[in-house]
Structures are given as structure tokens and as C-alpha cells.
Amino acid sequence: MTEALALSDAEIAGIARRLDRPVVLVGLMGVGKSTVGRRLANLLSTKFADADEEIERAADRSVAEIFEEYGEAYFRDGERRVIARLMEERIGVIATGGGAFVDEETRTTILENGLAIWLDCDIDTLVERTGRRNTRPLLRNGDPRQILTELKDRRSAAYSQAQLHIVTDNGPHTETALRILEAIDAWL
Ligand code: S3P
């Protein structure tokens, strides 16, 4: 047994064997897509990619710098291309930026070629987590709680098209990764 997990190593290996497409984490900023994604990839013994990091590498700039120098539309173009490439490369687990799945073309690419997981949690947790770092351009001009609440209202219809929906609390990310594995097991 892997410690503190309700799934045995053999069961997790079985899930990994049956999974024939990338698992793609979608949802709002601060929900834990990158950290949970890394844990999930680790458990599944597969590769992990963070789409924002890949965009930063390709542009040789931070996400904030890309927004500042070129604007959001330019960022979304890069995001669309990078996610299409990661899907083609069949990376096992991919964490996306919060706006990626709202873009119709990106959403279609993910839904047709991957297994989308909507990671969801309450606004208080999102405000607390995003408040730890000032790296997110969309939260710089205004009250983060209000912006996150508006984004949640606006984006939930898109996020709800993901094949799986996992609601988390402020608990440990490893536990969330396990809940995802259980949901994938039931979905397969
Ligand atoms: C964004 C979320 C960010 C990043 C960019 C835009 C969004 O990613 O892609 O700042 O539109 O919600 P995280 O969700 O990883 O913070």
C-alpha cells in the first residue's frame, strides 16, 4: 500500500495501464492544479507538464511579462499552441492555466484527446492561496475576491464540460490526487 492512500500500488498501476489519454487539470487560479498534477503524475509514474511553465519557456518570459508586453490575446494564442503540443506528445498529466479551458478551441482539443478534470474549491481557499504570490496578472488590478468570484460565475459553464468534477477543501494536495485517482478508476 502507498502510505495513507486507500488505493494499493497495484490498483494505481492498474489505473495507469488502463489510462490511454492525458489527464488534464482545469479550474480556477489557486485551486492547486500544478501541485496536485505533480502528485498525480508521480503516483501514476508518468510525465507531468505545467502549461504555464511551458508557455514561459517558449516565450522566455514570465506569464505576467507576456500579459504586460503583448496582451492577453497573445498569451491565449501561445497557450492554445502549447496545450495542443502537450496533448500530441501524450504527456500523462497536464496542468493548465485557469483560462485555458474557457477557450473553445483549447477545450475541444482537451475533451477530444484527453480526460479533463475540473478541480473546484471555495472562494476563501482560492483567495488565500493566490494571495501568497503576486504572479497572476488578472488579480493585480482590483480586489482578488471579487475578481475570482466573477471568474467563477463566468467560467463555471465551461469548466462543467470536463468529464470529471472534483470538489476539494483546503486539505492536503496528496489527498486530492487520490480522490482524482478514485474518480478516474470509476470513470474508466
Ligand atoms: C489565468 C491563470 C493563470 C495563468 C494566467 C491566466 C487565468 O494560471 O495562466 O495568469 O486566466 O485564469 P493558474 O490558473 O495556474 O494560476
Side-chain angles (χ1 to χ4, degrees):
M1 283 288 271
T2 304
E3 221 175 77
L5 298 185
L7 289 167
S8 68
D9 290 346
E11 282 169 322
I12 294 174
I15 295 168
R17 255 196 314 277
R18 282 182 291 145
L19 249 183
D20 62 350
R21 65 196 78 189
V23 172
V24 185
L25 301 182
V26 308
L28 281 175
M29 297 174 257
V31 76
K33 300 175 298 270
S34 304
T35 312
V36 170
R38 269 194 191 89
R39 305 261 159 94
L40 190 60
N42 217 357
L43 286 167
L44 289 167
S45 304
T46 188
K47 278 193 192 156
F48 170 77
D50 182 295
D52 279 346
E53 278 177 20
E54 296 290 329
I55 297 163
E56 291 182 327
R57 192 169 307 143
D60 198 21
R61 280 170 177 71
S62 70
V63 169
E65 284 166 349
I66 301 171
F67 267 71
E68 214 167 282
E69 283 181 44
Y70 304 106
E72 182 170 349
Y74 180 91
F75 173 79
R76 298 294 171 205
D77 282 345
E79 182 173 56
R80 209 176 293 123
R81 281 196 303 274
V82 162
I83 291 175
R85 170 174 62 77
L86 296 174
M87 301 291 302
E88 257 172 50
E89 289 173 5
R90 315 288 284 179
I91 302 293
V93 179
I94 301 167
T96 63
F101 203 63
V102 182
D103 180 276
E104 201 182 332
E105 201 178 315
T106 302
R107 187 168 64 245
T108 303
T109 305
I110 294 172
L111 287 174
E112 286 180 357
N113 306 290
L115 169 56
I117 316 263
W118 173 18
L119 266 193
D120 190 9
C121 72
D122 59 88
I123 294 287
D124 283 345
T125 303
L126 298 180
V127 172
E128 195 263 305
R129 292 210 187 121
T130 55
R132 293 177 198 164
R133 282 185 303 146
N134 181 26
T135 52
R136 294 177 168 99
L138 293 183
L139 298 181
R140 283 181 173 175
N141 300 312
D143 170 40
R145 176 177 299 275
Q146 193 186 335
I147 295 169
L148 285 163
T149 305
E150 280 169 14
L151 285 175
K152 188 164 193 174
D153 286 349
R154 212 175 323 134
R155 291 176 170 178
S156 288
Y159 292 151
S160 69
Q161 294 177 52
Q163 286 97 332
L164 295 173
H165 182 194
I166 303 285
V167 181
T168 72
D169 48 23
N170 209 348
H173 287 313
T174 304
E175 213 169 286
T176 304
L178 173 69
R179 299 242 334 264
I180 293 174
L181 276 181
E182 287 173 338
I184 293 175
D185 193 25
W187 181 84
L188 281 168

